[in-house]
């Protein structure tokens, strides 16, 4: 999925160091579930402790093993998963990212930032073969994936990272939740009239919404309105939020992105600083099935990210909340 912008915030603690691999979908070569030299201590849902024997030799094929098996549903390709991970090099224990590390300045009361990812799609946090190894595992499981960089990253390994193809890498992954998304899902129901001074939304089934900006001054603070009231569960901070959305710029009314332009419903973690602040502030506490209009000023969008093409823009979104994971 290629965007000229991204609603996600790049969270350094979650991302494999930028020079290690270039995110791209590719196949994996699953090894035996009995193989592997790495041991991991701790229960699923707790920070793992990875131990590697001093003279351990990394497998030249990807090896995945279930350290502890969960009781949830079996994960399938195409599922949306919410997960924790910790990764490191087998020699020297150099970190490859971790959801267990709190970002400086992060709200200490907020849930832990996790990865929300569709299996089979490229990721900024984990190599595709590592994610592919989760297929067939059960929700609630702790899975260890290990092997050489060549086996786990392949041609996406960047030689400038200092990691060589033969170097051993390991990831410990907890599968917190998973579900198959309905890519065509959308909010249903009679839409409320817009609040005076806010944009109007004309929804078109299976297409990006048409959002019309009023001829009034743009607001300086976050504005929101529930246009359709859903009957589903409340959205909690930490949920993986499955949505359809359309976004336009207040300044010229031009659309800059829509989930409908990229295959339909997509997902982000909400309430943890993983997305722009306006989304976190407006969508936590809403209900599955809601259609929400949001007007987000730069200070709650990309105002602190000067390199973004949207840094100076007030952003307007129509968001259908179609599920959680």
């Amino acid at each position: 999925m290629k965007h000229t912008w991204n609603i996600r915030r790049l969270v350094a603690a979650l991302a494999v160091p930028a020079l290690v691999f270039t995110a791209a979908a590719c196949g994996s070569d699953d090894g035996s579930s009995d193989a592997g030299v790495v041991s991991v201590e701790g229960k699923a849902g707790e920070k793992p402790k990875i131990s590697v024997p001093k003279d351990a030799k990394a497998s030249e094929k990807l090896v995945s093993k279930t350290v502890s098996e969960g009781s949830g549903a079996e994960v399938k390709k195409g599922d949306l998963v919410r997960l924790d991970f910790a990764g490191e090099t087998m020699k020297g224990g150099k970190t490859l990212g971790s959801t267990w590390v709190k970002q400086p300045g992060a709200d200490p009361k907020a849930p832990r930032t996790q990865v929300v990812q569709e299996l089979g799609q490229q990721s900024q946090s984990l190599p595709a073969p590592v994610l592919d190894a989760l297929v067939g595992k059960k929700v609630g499981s702790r899975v260890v994936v290990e092997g050489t960089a060549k086996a786990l990253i392949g041609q996406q390994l960047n030689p400038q990272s200092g990691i060589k193809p033969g170097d051993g890498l390991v990831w410990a992954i907890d599968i917190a939740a998973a579900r198959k998304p309905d890519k065509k899902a959308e909010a249903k129901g009679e839409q409320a009239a817009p609040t005076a001074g806010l944009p109007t939304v004309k929804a078109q089934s299976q297409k990006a919404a048409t959002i019309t900006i009023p001829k009034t001054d743009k607001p300086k603070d976050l504005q929101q309105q529930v246009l359709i009231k859903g009957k589903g569960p409340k959205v909690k901070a930490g949920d993986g939020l499955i949505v359809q959305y359309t976004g336009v710029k207040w300044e010229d009314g031009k659309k800059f992105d829509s989930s409908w332009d990229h295959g339909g419903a997509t997902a982000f973690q909400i309430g943890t600083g993983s997305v722009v602040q306006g989304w976190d502030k407006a969508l936590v506490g809403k209900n599955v099935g809601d259609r929400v209009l949001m007007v987000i000023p730069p200070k709650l969008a990309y105002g602190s990210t000067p390199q973004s093409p949207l840094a100076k823009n007030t952003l307007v979104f129509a968001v259908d909340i179609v599920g959680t994971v």
Side-chain angles (χ1 to χ4, degrees):
M1 187 186 301
K2 186 176 181 181
H3 297 271
T4 56
W5 74 293
N6 200 324
I7 196 68
R8 299 179 189 269
R9 286 187 179 277
L10 298 182
V11 183
L14 301 190
V16 175
L19 294 180
V20 175
F21 78 95
T22 304
C26 54
S28 64
D29 186 1
D30 291 332
S32 167
S33 60
D34 299 323
V37 297
V38 174
S39 63
V40 176
E41 298 178 8
K43 298 178 181 179
E46 299 176 354
K47 185 178 180 179
K49 181 180 179 181
I50 298 172
S51 299
V52 182
K54 185 176 181 180
D55 299 322
K57 181 176 174 60
S59 171
E60 293 183 359
K61 290 189 176 182
L62 181 149
V63 174
S64 65
K65 58 183 178 181
T66 301
V67 176
S68 59
E69 186 172 61
S71 57
E74 183 178 295
V75 176
K76 296 179 173 60
K77 186 174 182 179
D79 280 358
L80 283 167
V81 294
R82 178 166 52 82
L83 56 86
D84 281 296
F85 78 87
E88 60 184 55
T89 58
M90 290 174 63
K91 185 176 181 179
K94 179 182 177 182
T95 184
L96 300 173
S98 174
T99 60
W100 301 98
V101 178
K102 275 278 190 180
Q103 280 290 286
D107 182 354
K109 297 180 180 179
R112 183 172 58 257
T113 302
Q114 297 172 306
V115 172
V116 175
Q117 178 68 43
E118 181 178 340
L119 296 185
Q121 297 294 322
Q122 68 178 23
S123 169
Q124 295 174 331
S125 302
L126 291 163
V130 175
L131 285 167
D132 288 347
L134 302 181
V135 174
K137 309 299 184 184
K138 292 184 177 180
V139 173
S141 296
R142 170 163 286 177
V143 180
V144 175
V145 183
E146 60 180 279
T148 62
K150 181 179 179 180
L152 271 59
I153 301 178
Q155 296 181 351
Q156 278 64 53
L157 179 64
N158 191 325
Q160 296 180 12
S161 68
I163 294 177
K164 298 177 181 179
D167 290 348
L169 309 177
V170 57
W171 275 271
I173 304 170
D174 290 353
I175 307 172
R179 68 174 295 173
K180 183 175 179 60
D182 178 358
K183 290 288 192 176
K184 296 183 178 181
E186 54 192 357
K188 300 290 187 180
E190 185 176 351
Q191 185 167 293
T195 299
L198 291 185
T200 59
V201 175
K202 181 180 179 181
Q204 304 171 83
S205 183
Q206 307 299 300
K207 295 182 180 180
T210 298
I211 301 174
T212 303
I213 306 300
K215 295 180 179 179
T216 57
D217 292 337
K218 58 185 177 183
K220 296 181 179 180
D221 298 311
L222 176 68
Q223 303 293 316
Q224 56 179 295
Q225 181 186 3
V226 176
L227 298 176
I228 294 177
K229 182 63 177 175
K231 298 181 180 179
K234 283 192 178 298
V235 174
K236 303 184 300 295
D239 283 347
L241 193 68
I242 308 172
V243 297
Q244 302 284 9
Y245 67 87
T246 298
V248 305
K249 294 176 286 184
W250 179 288
E251 288 76 11
D252 58 14
K254 291 183 178 179
K255 181 184 73 172
F256 56 85
D257 200 23
S258 174
S259 58
W260 294 108
D261 297 337
H262 305 286
T266 188
F268 312 95
Q269 196 183 28
I270 199 73
T272 62
S274 301
V275 293
V276 295
Q277 291 183 62
W279 278 55
D280 278 347
K281 289 179 178 293
L283 298 181
V284 171
K286 297 298 191 291
N287 291 77
V288 173
D290 284 357
R291 172 171 294 155
V292 185
L293 170 67
M294 297 183 290
V295 181
I296 306 177
K299 64 184 178 182
L300 297 179
Y302 293 97
S304 61
T305 312
Q307 66 270 28
S308 170
L310 301 173
K312 297 181 179 180
N313 293 115
T314 291
L315 307 182
V316 181
F317 288 97
V319 178
D320 286 7
I321 302 174
V322 298
T324 58
V325 60

